[in-house]
Amino acid sequence: MYQSYSHDSGKTWTRPVAFAPNGVLPRLLRLGNGVLVLASGRPGAELRFSFDGRGESWTPPIHS
């Protein structure tokens, strides 16, 4: 799985960099308290949390 960032509302993006060795169907959710939650699958399912609210740092994956 790869990640990239936009600093201009999606007009341009940074070059993608490897984020995780695997993962499909990623879903991103911002909670009411600003925390970002990333869910992805295969193998199994995993959750990661970004407490900075910007996705610049993430917790290690929590596997189901």
Side-chain angles (χ1 to χ4, degrees):
M1 198 161 35
Y2 290 81
Q3 69 181 6
S4 66
Y5 297 94
S6 175
H7 301 286
D8 57 9
S9 300
K11 292 179 184 173
T12 61
W13 292 86
T14 61
R15 184 179 188 100
V17 295
F19 173 71
N22 52 29
V24 297
L25 297 173
R27 298 293 184 256
L28 191 63
L29 173 70
R30 182 181 307 276
L31 301 178
N33 63 3
V35 173
L36 290 173
V37 181
L38 173 64
S40 63
R42 197 176 300 149
E46 65 181 40
L47 294 174
R48 296 173 189 257
F49 299 90
S50 175
F51 295 105
D52 66 17
R54 297 175 53 171
E56 294 181 4
S57 64
W58 293 89
T59 63
I62 298 169
H63 300 275
S64 66

